[in-house]
Amino acid sequence: ESIKLGYEAINLRFETARNTNGSLLSKRIQLFLMDDPEYNPRLDYNNEGPQSMILALSTNVQPLGNRQEESDNELRRLQGGGNGIASKGLPVLAVIFSLVTTITYTVAIYALNPYLHDNQSDLSSPLSIPLLVNQCLPVALGIFALQAVHEISHMLAAKHYNVKLGWPIPLPSLQIGMFGSITPYQSFPNQRRDLFDVSMSGPTVTLLLSTLLSALGLYLTVASSSFEVISTYPVVPCTLLRSSVVLGTVTSFIAPKLMLLPPTQVIPLHPLFLIGLTGLFSSALNLLPIGRLDGGRASMAVYGRRSASLISLLMLLGSSLLALSGTSRICTFFGLWVVLFQRNLDLPTRNEISELDDKRVVFYGITLFFSMLVLLPFPGGVSP
């Protein structure tokens, strides 16, 4: 506690001097409060745990996104840390592939609608221009709009806490259009509270908004009495309604008769439901406490780096077993992205000792529980 108070007092003087053009030392040195990184539990004979320490580093020590250094690590290249062609090309490729997969997803959800194809000028082509422009494009824009809300929420929270973020890099998905984005940190958050609020802002807002969109889409489907309107809706199998506890519960309240249909029965649903569905799954996946995902960052803020590292490892093992079982294609492909680019823990905060308040811890637990309900199938259903 005395080390923590000393750090706060010294750091306050450094920040004050830096903001008022004070001493050169305050502009050259940044302070970190953390547990001893060389702590070895096997040598801790008194069982006291790691000791807190103050680490003074040059202000030149910044995340790779700020330094623009060369790196052979593909994750760092994806985050814009290198100067090579690959590091600049990967984000561009990610955007292009995300556009392709999102359009492909929207075409797929309209593929089972026979009435829609009957109205196209070219009946032999499911990719005719009227279909793409009138139906598929609005759904694709809705999916991108949800992701934009996610990233804007991150940016607003980051601006509030004076945290610098890099440009988000989208992750394409053949199953739901987009898995979300990789948003690299380009500065060290001051404390775990800042890391938590910035990380949780995006998926929390999108999770709530997606739930509302799904519920509204179901309501509009049930309320619509015009065959001409319903015939323009996407057509999906009923099993999709049982692919999530949240979706199944919402459907049971708004459209209970749909839950009585056979799983293989195809039904038309309002496009807002499909847009909300993609947002639900992408937000829930990003809330998993793994590595550099939003959930992994929040887990590190709640439990500390050591505990978060163990939780991340266990979640990776669980996700790997789920992927190998073949019960969820979304988890399989998303797990591949995570293992390749997001498996490691994120940057340390400048104060790793100060813990979160109880309200944030409870909020994290509730949000994580809700995201699990999104990913778990409704009784009698299967994971997508």
Side-chain angles (χ1 to χ4, degrees):
E1 187 67 24
S2 60
I3 294 179
K4 175 183 172 182
L5 292 175
Y7 164 81
E8 292 176 350
I10 297 173
N11 192 57
L12 178 61
R13 295 188 64 179
F14 266 67
E15 291 298 323
T16 302
R18 186 179 295 117
N19 295 331
T20 57
N21 295 323
S23 66
L24 291 177
L25 180 63
S26 64
K27 297 180 180 180
R28 295 178 178 177
I29 300 295
Q30 55 182 337
L31 302 179
F32 293 81
L33 176 63
M34 61 180 63
D35 291 331
D36 185 357
E38 297 183 355
Y39 169 75
N40 188 341
R42 291 177 295 180
L43 302 179
D44 187 4
Y45 302 109
N46 297 325
N47 229 2
E48 296 178 350
Q51 298 296 310
S52 300
M53 59 174 287
I54 298 177
L55 180 65
L57 295 177
S58 168
T59 52
N60 291 328
V61 178
Q62 295 293 333
L64 277 179
N66 266 354
R67 291 183 298 173
Q68 297 292 313
E69 292 180 351
E70 288 289 344
S71 172
D72 293 329
N73 185 286
E74 287 302 319
L75 170 62
R76 293 178 178 181
R77 289 185 180 277
L78 188 62
Q79 290 182 336
N83 293 324
I85 297 176
S87 66
K88 296 178 181 178
L90 279 176
V92 176
L93 288 176
V95 173
I96 294 174
F97 279 122
S98 295
L99 288 171
V100 172
T101 55
T102 302
I103 293 295
T104 302
Y105 168 74
T106 58
V107 171
I109 62 178
Y110 279 101
L112 296 177
N113 189 328
Y115 305 104
L116 190 63
H117 293 298
D118 290 342
N119 294 326
Q120 304 304 310
S121 57
D122 182 6
L123 297 179
S124 64
S125 174
L127 294 176
S128 57
I129 298 301
L131 174 64
L132 287 174
V133 174
N134 298 330
Q135 272 74 38
C136 297
L137 186 58
V139 177
L141 292 177
I143 294 173
F144 279 111
L146 267 184
Q147 296 301 325
V149 170
H150 183 119
E151 298 305 325
I152 290 173
S153 300
H154 279 315
M155 292 177 182
L156 291 176
K159 183 178 181 180
H160 176 74
Y161 290 112
N162 197 29
V163 176
K164 296 179 181 179
L165 298 178
W167 285 102
I169 302 172
L171 295 178
S173 167
L174 290 173
Q175 294 75 34
I176 56 175
M178 287 179 62
F179 281 134
S181 301
I182 296 177
T183 308
Y185 279 66
Q186 293 190 344
S187 68
F188 298 104
N190 285 325
Q191 51 186 308
R192 286 157 63 172
R193 179 204 62 192
D194 303 359
L195 176 65
F196 179 84
D197 288 357
V198 174
S199 300
M200 291 294 290
S201 58
T204 302
V205 171
T206 313
L207 201 62
L208 292 176
L209 183 57
S210 299
T211 304
L212 293 175
L213 287 175
S214 297
L216 179 59
L218 282 171
Y219 173 78
L220 293 175
T221 301
V222 175
S224 179
S225 58
S226 171
F227 175 77
E228 292 183 358
V229 174
I230 295 179
S231 64
T232 62
Y233 288 172
V235 174
V236 296
C238 283
T239 186
L240 193 63
L241 300 175
R242 299 183 177 92
S243 62
S244 163
V245 172
V246 171
L247 289 177
T249 303
V250 172
T251 306
S252 298
F253 279 100
I254 298 178
K257 292 183 179 179
L258 294 181
M259 299 298 289
L260 301 177
L261 297 175
T264 55
Q265 175 72 42
V266 293
I267 54 173
L269 290 172
H270 195 280
L272 286 180
F273 175 83
L274 279 305
I275 294 174
L277 179 142
T278 61
L280 272 174
F281 280 110
S282 64
S283 299
L285 288 169
N286 278 281
L287 277 169
L288 291 175
I290 299 176
R292 299 190 178 211
L293 298 177
D294 291 331
R297 291 163 171 169
S299 175
M300 189 170 69
V302 172
Y303 302 113
R305 180 169 291 271
R306 290 180 180 274
S307 298
S309 178
L310 177 60
I311 294 172
S312 178
L313 177 61
L314 294 176
M315 287 297 298
L316 276 174
L317 291 175
S319 300
S320 300
L321 293 176
L322 186 63
L324 291 175
S325 67
T327 57
S328 175
R329 290 180 299 169
I330 286 182
C331 289
T332 300
F333 285 93
F334 183 74
L336 180 62
W337 279 113
V338 171
V339 170
L340 290 177
F341 301 115
Q342 298 285 79
R343 65 183 181 274
N344 297 320
L345 291 182
D346 215 321
L347 304 171
T349 60
R350 294 177 62 184
N351 180 351
E352 296 238 300
I353 303 300
S354 297
E355 299 180 352
L356 291 183
D357 56 88
D358 293 338
K359 291 182 180 180
R360 283 181 169 84
V361 174
V362 171
F363 174 76
Y364 172 74
I366 294 174
T367 308
L368 182 61
F369 178 72
F370 186 82
S371 68
M372 291 294 109
L373 293 181
V374 172
L375 297 176
L376 291 175
F378 192 79
V382 294
S383 299

